[in-house]
Amino acid sequence: MSASTNHRRLVPLAVAWAAARALMLWMLAHDELVPLGRGGVSREVENLYFRWYGVLSHGAYPSGDHLWQYPPGAGPVLLSPALLPGLGYFQAFVALTLLTDAVILAALARAGTRPGRSTAGAWLWTASLPLLLHIPLARYDVQVTAFAVVSLLALSRSPRACGALAAMGALVKVWPALALIGTPRGRTTREAWTSAVVTAVVLLAALTTLFDNPFDFLRQQGGRGVQIESLGGTVLGLARHAGWPGQVRYRYGAMEFTGPHVPLVAAASLALTVAAFGLLLLWRMRARRWTPSTPYDAALSAVLLFTVTSRVISPQYMIWLLGLSAVCLTARHTTQRPVAALIVAATAVSAVAYPGMYGEVVDSTWTGCLLMVVRNGLLVGAAALSFRRLWRSGLSVPDRIGHAHTELSLDSGRLPHKTLNAS
């Protein structure tokens, strides 16, 4: 396809992105409106991030602050608005978030215009992010998602760059490390994972040298309970209607349940997370087929599994899932198309729950519980479908025959895609 043809295809995408982001900026500017959260969305940047910026600018991570629960790499991200000295902190933060958003779009569009690829991923990112209203502009999850997206898209050309970018993202919010779960066995995995480890060690050493208290976040993270929007929180919200005496309290930067059996629910969530990790390791050991889309599909499946089993599912977590879904859709042979549709639907419900009807969720009214059942039901369904499709796509032809006797035909339409080599 010629460069001029690609240009014509991308112009509508750029116009749609600009229009959608202008709408998001309008919502952020009118954040005080009741349906938009009465100022609660932007307050996190204006107050909390700015307070942390003041501490970080003096060469230390927040110490003893229950709200600081992020790895050391979050520090440079929160300091980055200083790169735009002509703007206030809030304005600079939003500007850099929009710039990062544009970088993600450019990476998806560039990948989508390659031979055998699709721009569906770029369109999904453009159209679905505004479903979260103005939340993406007032959280730094767009920046974190950029590391994972660019890391995955770099894999085919430079496994070392893929590993380095995943490590950078992991130092900001841990989960981008899962971008490496589906790297093809052999040289590709060795290069990507070695690069990730080296990058992480070097950056951690640098941050430890430059800042005091780099690991205080571990103490705060360990004390978190069950957030009301998590899967466990949905169970506890419904239990209130059956007479459970628990209450909702603001703790560790989120609305959490307190009361009898909450530690048990938190422990169950942790056990499910461990089980999910075990399933992913089992898939990696059993998988025999790697297509160009396998690393993308595996990353989405892994993050989905860890999200639904987490004690916390904040609305901004949907940004991660949308970004990874978009990466999957750049590959024509991805197994995750129906999963992406479920994630988009869950994103729309998330925006209704927060900020629109968050009071209902906090009070565990029937409306609030229904919203959480629908949103989390969609996510659980997406996670189960995602892993099932990933598992089936990774089986070799003999394995698939052994597990499903109906698949006896090996005509040309059913042959597996060419397996990636390890280089």
Side-chain angles (χ1 to χ4, degrees), residues 12-21 24 101 104-106 108-109 119-131 322 326:
L13 182 64
V15 172
W17 180 89
R21 275 40 180 188
M24 293 169 69
D101 179 6
I104 293 175
L105 176 68
L108 292 168
T119 57
W123 277 106
L124 181 140
W125 177 255
T126 298
S128 62
L129 197 66
L131 292 175
L322 290 174

Side-chain angles (χ1 to χ4, degrees), residues 53 57 75-90 92-93 96:
Y53 170 83
S57 62
V77 174
L78 296 176
L79 285 171
S80 62
L83 298 172
L84 302 177
L87 299 174
Y89 185 84
F90 180 79
F93 181 90
L96 289 174

Side-chain angles (χ1 to χ4, degrees), residues 314-328:
S314 296
Q316 58 266 30
Y317 289 16
M318 303 306 299
I319 300 171
W320 317 344
L321 299 175
L322 290 174
L324 295 177
S325 297
V327 173
C328 290

Side-chain angles (χ1 to χ4, degrees), residues 24-46:
M24 293 169 69
L25 282 171
W26 182 91
M27 288 186 284
L28 187 63
H30 295 81
D31 184 51
E32 74 284 353
L33 296 176
V34 173
L36 298 178
R38 297 176 178 170
V41 174
S42 61
R43 194 176 300 129
E44 187 151 330
V45 177
E46 293 176 323

Side-chain angles (χ1 to χ4, degrees), residues 146-169:
F147 282 111
V149 168
V150 179
S151 168
L152 285 166
L153 295 177
L155 177 62
S156 61
R157 296 193 173 190
S158 175
R160 291 187 179 91
C162 168
L165 288 163
M168 292 178 194

